[in-house]
């Protein structure tokens, strides 16, 4: 089985980036908006039968896994 598709929501200067494969996909002003986008992308990939994982940088700069559903 291949590696899971992965998205991460990380802080950037004054906002939040959704990244995949170490490349920024889109920037948001608010973390919640970036989380929603990452979850939307993951849900679409999951519908295609892919394994998915979404990570979010928390207040302590640790990455935590979000439940895709």
């Amino acid at each position: 089985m291949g590696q899971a598709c992965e998205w991460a929501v990380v802080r950037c200067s004054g906002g939040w980036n959704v990244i995949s494969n170490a490349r920024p996909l889109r920037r948001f002003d608010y973390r919640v908006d970036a989380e929603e986008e990452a979850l939307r992308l993951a849900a679409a990939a999951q519908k295609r039968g892919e394994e998915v994982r979404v990570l979010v940088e928390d207040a302590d700069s640790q990455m935590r896994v979000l439940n895709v559903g």
Side-chain angles (χ1 to χ4, degrees):
M1 183 180 281
Q3 200 171 12
C5 296
E6 187 172 271
W7 294 267
V9 175
V10 295
R11 278 189 198 106
C12 62
S13 57
W16 295 85
N17 271 344
V18 175
I19 63 171
S20 183
N21 297 321
R23 300 176 80 181
L25 299 177
R26 189 162 171 207
R27 185 188 175 287
F28 295 85
D29 290 331
Y30 300 100
R31 186 176 81 181
V32 66
D33 295 330
E35 287 176 1
E36 287 175 358
E37 176 70 1
L39 289 170
R40 185 189 66 74
L41 293 168
Q46 199 171 48
K47 281 185 179 180
R48 295 189 301 268
E50 299 178 42
E51 282 189 52
V52 299
R53 186 163 82 152
V54 175
L55 302 169
V56 170
E57 184 178 357
D58 66 18
D60 296 325
S61 297
Q62 299 294 314
M63 299 302 284
R64 66 178 170 85
V65 177
L66 279 184
N67 183 9
V68 175

